[in-house]
Amino acid sequence: MFLHSVNLWNLAFYVFMVFMATLGLWDVFFGFEENKCSMSYMFEYPEYQKIELPKKLAKRYPAYELYLYGEGSYAEEHKILPLTGIPVLFLPGNAGSYKQVRSVGSIALRKAEDIDFKYHFDFFSVNFNEELVALYGGSLQKQTKFVHECIKTILKLYKGQEFAPKSVAIIGHSMGGLVARALLTLKNFKQDLISLLVTQATPHVAPVIPLDRFITDFYMTVNNYWILNARHINLTTLSVAGGFRDYQVRSGLTFLPQLSHHTSALSVVITQNSKKKLSVLNHHFIRHPAKHFEENPTVISDMTGTSMWVPVKVPKWTYVAYNESDKIYFTFPLANHRKIYTHVYCQSTMLDTNSWIFGCINSTSMCQQGVDLSWKAELLPTIKSLTLRLQDYPSLSHLVLYVPSIHGTKFVIDCEFFKKETRSIQLPVTHLFSFVQWFNSYLVTVKTSFPQILGQVVRFHGGALPAYIISSILLAYGGQLYSLFSIGHCLEYAIMLDKEAKPYKVDPFVIIIKFLLGYKWFKELWDVLLLPELDAIYFTSQSMCFPLVSLILFLFGTCTAYWGGLLASTSVRLLSSLWLALKRPSQLPKDIKVISPDLLILTVVLIIVSWATCGAFAILLTYLYYVFKVVHLQTSLTNFKNGQIVNPKHSRRSEKKSSHHKDTTVHHLRLSASDVEDSLRMHNTVINLLTWIVLLSMPSLIYWLKNLRYCFKLNPDPCKPLAFLLIPTMAILGNSYTVSVKSSKLLKTASQFPLPLAIGVIAFGSAHLYRVPCFVIIPLLLHTICNFM
């Protein structure tokens, strides 16, 4: 019945949008190169020694634990405290396990064995009970305080040493990195307790999906502190992104907000010199020159001994080295090349760590000393390369390439002088409709890839899709209420979705508001009204505001809203069929009782459940009750229609009786089959809305269920205020019918509210999903009031 209400062109459009969304998802999950990383393995069995915490601390945080990682004999030795290594604390992220420390702990142990344990690391790991902190932010502050206590406990384990450590290095994965940064915001925290912070795939800028206000408040507190106190934060920090393969945390979120000292490396924990730390980090993470790190590298190198000196005067040169018996120095005079070329590029496939390229001053055929330019090279996967701008080295007379005496090793060296203007061209970034190409000696084509564009939309804006879905449903919901007011019947959801869910009803208003906020007077008025920041401005600040993105998301949202409506109505019909098969058929309600004693008791019970346990749990129970009422009504209608086929005369008499009773008061109206069909259309739309409210509240419910053995009541609870409003609203709507609503004086007003609320969902909920249910509850409340006024 649902499909019959949609014409074939619209159905084809919805199928096409599903195909487009699938292309985008495919690009996100599979549109990258093959994973060539290999798994790390232990040589001995891993052990996790639980560190005994003070009784008060263990009682205050019953779900959290602290462990020391070890393997084999190393683990046995460290069961007897105190410890003698350098403490490193690993913090897992969202749903992460403390056992994830195994990989880095095992590799660090092997490295320590290679240097005969001149120094080694002791790896600790915190068990956060695999909490979903990326989806429920209520425990982030608690985790931060527990980590503070863990650091103090760890340092106590080193008491008695001659050089006992006074700080720990922290490795934070995902949200664990944010918790580590939040330590600095604690009142009694001493910054000297952390010597180094390394974060892996941590979304520092903003949460991936902000499903409650606790997450956004936590982010605001941490980032504001780090920005305002940047000059006073003397903590070497390294943020490592997962790159294109990480489809959960895109690289743009891993930048530390407005900090200049955000690079680091594991090896720097052995020193307190911040300048040395940064030089190590630059060496290993920014530009590795294929040489071993030296704090003060020798710039001038001696080039003496028996060797061949071969001059090279051509601008493009290649040499294949194999079984060389003598050292060879190839010299490139720079005087003539400077007149024609601006840069020189050299590369070598010999990936050893020796110096291989030098610059000579005032030399003719050979030089005794040269400037070691190897430190300016860059190590790439298969080569080491160097590009120099000749203008930066006016005192160099020659460029010298060194080929050592080798036996059996083959490698290739290439050098080329070139003019930058002939090698580079600036192009605008491609967008949806750009096709750029040019050619000279080479043919290069830059064109748009639709699957990758869709993949970027999903990657950057997929989290906003629920807001666009609910916006489309609200528009259809408003259309159904207006049809009930104007013609006395509720039209099909699919018909109203096609008619009402149009981008031009929403996007232009958001664009206009964003434009007006550029004016001071409008911004001041906005602030006086205490309105939150427009999400479009938030996306702009994150460099995520791209043309046509909102339109694409709206189309995806409308498509999802359509298929969600189809799923809701189909599910109700299937459940009603199952009901008829298992239970005696029910009849159409004889009269309408919007409020009954049983309903009042149920409402009070659900509110108590919400207050005493978890708001999301009460919302789920309310949702199930509402679905039960709708399924029961669908069963009654199906049974009534089956009875009409068996006894058509009786059914016509029933219709006349129901028509006769329409003049009575609202609470004693008799329902006809058409009234029930109208009510079911409205109920199915409400179920579609409620489904998304339940989905958005699921993270806190899952968190509560996982921690039920530690705490019966969720605190803080982001869904509790919503539950207090939603429970009585849905209890009444579950007992309401369109026949009692269409005569309401408020119906016209109620039908007009969903449009501005659909705009509000996009304006304020696309980047802050926890606000979305607030816009949904308003039309549901008005719909409920229409039963009484």
Side-chain angles (χ1 to χ4, degrees):
M1 186 175 178
F2 188 95
L3 286 172
H4 291 313
S5 61
V6 182
N7 64 52
L8 292 177
W9 286 109
N10 288 333
L11 184 61
F13 168 76
Y14 292 133
V15 172
F16 174 72
M17 291 309 299
V18 169
F19 172 73
M20 297 289 283
T22 304
L23 282 180
L25 290 170
W26 180 271
D27 180 75
V28 170
F29 292 106
F30 303 102
F32 39 72
E33 74 283 356
E34 179 187 357
N35 186 6
K36 297 182 180 180
C37 297
S38 58
M39 183 66 181
S40 59
Y41 296 92
M42 300 86 59
F43 292 90
E44 298 176 283
Y45 192 79
E47 293 188 31
Y48 303 89
Q49 179 184 348
K50 186 176 179 180
I51 303 298
E52 186 176 351
L53 299 174
K55 291 183 178 180
K56 289 185 178 180
L57 185 62
K59 187 176 180 180
R60 197 188 317 163
Y61 304 99
Y64 299 160
E65 297 169 322
L66 177 64
Y67 287 88
L68 171 64
Y69 177 80
E71 296 178 17
S73 59
Y74 171 81
E76 291 295 326
E77 291 174 4
H78 286 82
K79 287 182 180 179
I80 304 174
L81 303 176
L83 303 173
T84 58
I86 301 168
V88 180
L89 178 60
F90 175 79
L91 304 180
N94 178 55
S97 170
Y98 67 94
K99 294 182 178 181
Q100 289 174 307
V101 73
R102 179 205 61 80
S103 180
V104 63
S106 181
I107 291 174
L109 179 60
R110 302 282 85 79
K111 295 292 185 181
E113 289 177 345
D114 292 342
I115 59 173
D116 296 326
F117 285 95
K118 292 179 181 178
Y119 58 86
H120 68 276
F121 300 98
D122 297 324
F123 277 87
F124 298 85
S125 183
V126 174
N127 178 16
F128 284 135
N129 196 31
E130 299 184 11
E131 292 178 337
L132 298 171
V133 288
L135 305 178
Y136 169 75
S139 63
L140 284 168
Q141 191 67 23
K142 184 170 63 174
Q143 287 190 1
T144 305
K145 292 179 179 178
F146 180 73
V147 171
H148 183 199
E149 298 297 332
C150 285
I151 292 173
K152 292 188 288 186
T153 301
I154 289 170
L155 294 177
K156 288 179 183 178
L157 299 177
Y158 293 84
K159 279 188 175 181
Q161 287 191 35
E162 183 178 358
F163 300 102
K166 298 180 181 180
S167 62
V168 302
I170 295 181
I171 301 176
H173 175 252
S174 184
M175 295 298 287
L178 187 70
V179 169
R181 288 180 58 220
L183 287 168
L184 276 64
T185 66
L186 298 178
K187 291 182 179 179
N188 299 322
F189 184 80
K190 297 179 180 179
Q191 191 181 133
D192 295 339
L193 291 178
I194 307 178
S195 59
L196 171 73
L197 173 59
V198 180
T199 66
Q200 301 172 319
T202 297
H204 292 294
V205 176
V208 178
I209 303 179
L211 292 177
D212 64 53
R213 63 179 179 84
F214 305 122
I215 296 178
T216 54
D217 290 347
F218 189 81
Y219 264 89
M220 187 177 297
T221 300
V222 174
N223 286 338
N224 285 347
Y225 181 88
W226 278 63
I227 291 171
L228 295 175
N229 298 276
R231 295 182 179 179
H232 308 291
I233 296 177
N234 187 26
L235 173 60
T236 305
T237 309
L238 168 67
S239 176
V240 181
F244 204 64
R245 297 183 62 86
D246 192 337
Y247 51 80
Q248 294 184 13
V249 180
R250 55 184 177 81
S251 298
L253 293 177
T254 61
F255 289 98
L256 291 168
Q258 298 185 18
L259 289 179
S260 58
H261 55 285
H262 62 275
T263 54
S264 192
L266 290 176
S267 58
V268 299
V269 294
I270 61 173
T271 178
Q272 297 299 321
N273 188 323
S274 59
K275 290 184 178 180
K276 184 176 179 180
K277 289 179 185 180
L278 291 177
S279 62
V280 171
L281 303 178
N282 283 318
H283 179 91
H284 288 286
F285 290 94
I286 306 300
R287 191 183 187 91
H288 196 296
K291 289 179 66 65
H292 291 305
F293 173 77
E294 295 180 23
E295 187 174 358
N296 297 304
T298 303
V299 179
I300 304 299
S301 299
D302 293 327
M303 293 184 288
T304 57
T306 305
S307 57
M308 293 178 58
W309 289 81
V310 180
V312 180
K313 298 182 179 180
V314 294
K316 188 174 182 179
W317 170 84
T318 299
Y319 182 77
V320 179
Y322 184 71
N323 283 337
E324 303 291 343
S325 57
D326 297 319
K327 301 175 184 178
I328 304 177
Y329 287 101
F330 293 97
T331 61
F332 298 80
L334 300 179
N336 293 330
H337 289 314
R338 281 196 178 95
K339 300 176 182 178
I340 306 173
Y341 306 107
T342 60
H343 290 71
V344 59
Y345 170 82
C346 291
Q347 70 176 37
S348 173
T349 61
M350 181 70 165
L351 301 183
D352 64 355
T353 57
N354 296 318
S355 296
W356 61 287
I357 187 166
F358 305 88
C360 283
I361 303 173
N362 300 324
S363 173
T364 54
S365 60
M366 59 183 294
C367 59
Q368 298 295 320
Q369 289 183 324
V371 178
D372 190 350
L373 299 174
S374 305
W375 292 102
K376 297 184 179 296
E378 183 175 11
L379 179 63
L380 300 175
T382 58
I383 61 170
K384 53 186 178 184
S385 65
L386 172 68
T387 302
L388 298 177
R389 192 173 72 157
L390 298 178
Q391 184 181 350
D392 296 337
Y393 301 90
S395 60
L396 297 184
S397 61
H398 288 73
L399 189 69
V400 179
L401 261 74
Y402 170 64
V403 177
S405 57
I406 54 175
H407 299 283
T409 302
K410 182 179 180 179
F411 66 96
V412 181
I413 301 178
D414 296 281
C415 279
E416 182 178 6
F417 291 84
F418 65 91
K419 197 171 184 179
K420 184 180 179 181
E421 290 76 9
T422 62
R423 296 294 181 89
S424 63
I425 185 171
Q426 290 187 351
L427 290 174
V429 177
T430 59
H431 54 80
L432 190 61
F433 301 109
S434 63
F435 297 91
V436 183
Q437 63 180 13
W438 76 94
F439 64 91
N440 190 359
S441 57
Y442 300 96
L443 176 63
V444 181
T445 303
V446 180
K447 61 182 181 180
T448 302
S449 170
F450 282 98
Q452 290 186 3
I453 287 177
L454 295 173
Q456 290 295 77
V457 171
V458 173
R459 185 176 287 108
F460 281 79
H461 299 276
L465 187 59
Y468 284 87
I469 296 170
I470 292 174
S471 179
S472 296
I473 300 173
L474 282 174
L475 291 172
Y477 182 42
Q480 285 183 308
L481 289 173
Y482 188 77
S483 70
L484 194 61
F485 165 76
S486 59
I487 63 176
H489 290 286
C490 180
L491 296 179
E492 285 281 356
Y493 168 76
I495 294 175
M496 298 316 301
L497 189 70
D498 293 336
K499 182 180 179 181
E500 300 294 335
K502 305 297 183 184
Y504 60 78
K505 291 187 176 183
V506 175
D507 282 344
F509 291 96
V510 177
I511 294 171
I512 291 171
I513 294 172
K514 181 183 177 182
F515 173 76
L516 291 175
L517 282 171
Y519 292 95
K520 185 178 179 181
W521 64 270
F522 190 82
K523 183 66 170 64
E524 291 175 351
L525 178 62
W526 189 271
D527 294 336
V528 168
L529 296 174
L530 301 179
L531 293 172
E533 184 184 49
L534 199 68
D535 281 0
I537 295 178
Y538 170 83
F539 285 129
T540 302
S541 66
Q542 300 293 325
S543 300
M544 292 169 55
C545 192
F546 306 118
L548 301 180
V549 165
S550 185
L551 175 62
I552 294 172
L553 287 175
F554 196 95
L555 295 177
F556 283 168
T558 305
C559 172
T560 309
Y562 167 77
W563 292 111
L566 175 61
L567 179 62
S569 62
T570 303
S571 300
V572 168
R573 291 177 183 277
L574 290 175
L575 290 172
S576 67
S577 300
L578 182 61
W579 185 302
L580 283 172
L582 298 176
K583 195 174 180 181
R584 188 178 67 181
S586 55
Q587 301 295 324
L588 288 179
K590 294 182 178 180
D591 54 71
I592 298 173
K593 292 182 180 179
V594 178
I595 298 179
S596 64
D598 293 342
L599 187 65
L600 290 174
I601 294 173
L602 177 64
T603 302
V604 172
V605 169
L606 288 174
I607 289 176
I608 292 174
V609 169
S610 175
W611 177 80
T613 58
C614 172
F617 179 55
I619 290 174
L620 178 61
L621 294 177
T622 305
Y623 173 76
L624 294 176
Y625 164 77
Y626 188 84
V627 171
F628 166 78
K629 294 290 291 185
V630 176
V631 170
H632 184 271
L633 186 61
Q634 179 68 56
T635 306
S636 302
L637 179 63
T638 304
N639 182 49
F640 177 78
K641 288 184 175 180
N642 291 338
Q644 275 187 321
I645 296 173
V646 175
N647 191 355
K649 291 183 179 179
H650 176 73
S651 65
R652 282 195 294 269
R653 286 198 298 268
S654 299
E655 287 287 342
K656 289 180 180 178
K657 282 186 178 182
S658 65
S659 300
H660 174 72
H661 282 281
K662 283 187 179 180
D663 294 331
T664 59
T665 59
V666 169
H667 293 282
H668 299 284
L669 288 171
R670 294 294 299 271
L671 292 174
S672 65
S674 61
D675 294 329
V676 175
E677 287 178 346
D678 281 351
S679 299
L680 283 171
R681 293 189 189 108
M682 189 64 72
H683 284 314
N684 284 329
T685 303
V686 173
I687 286 177
N688 204 1
L689 279 173
L690 280 179
T691 301
W692 284 100
I693 291 180
V694 171
L695 289 175
L696 291 175
S697 66
M698 275 293 105
S700 60
L701 175 62
I702 296 172
Y703 178 89
W704 174 72
L705 289 173
K706 286 192 64 174
N707 291 272
L708 195 55
R709 57 176 175 164
Y710 303 112
C711 186
F712 189 70
K713 182 178 181 180
L714 181 62
N715 186 33
D717 190 345
C719 297
K720 189 171 293 183
L722 176 65
F724 287 164
L725 289 174
L726 195 65
I727 290 169
T729 301
M730 300 319 301
I732 295 173
L733 277 183
N735 270 10
S736 69
Y737 302 88
T738 54
V739 68
S740 62
V741 173
K742 62 186 178 183
S743 59
S744 172
K745 297 178 181 178
L746 288 177
L747 181 57
K748 184 178 181 180
T749 303
S751 67
Q752 293 171 342
F753 259 80
L755 174 58
L757 292 172
I759 298 171
V761 166
I762 303 302
F764 302 107
S766 54
H768 301 83
L769 290 178
Y770 62 88
R771 296 173 182 167
V772 171
C774 301
F775 293 95
V776 176
I777 192 65
I778 295 173
L780 294 178
L781 277 171
L782 290 173
H783 187 173
T784 303
I785 296 172
C786 287
N787 286 278
F788 306 102
M789 298 179 64

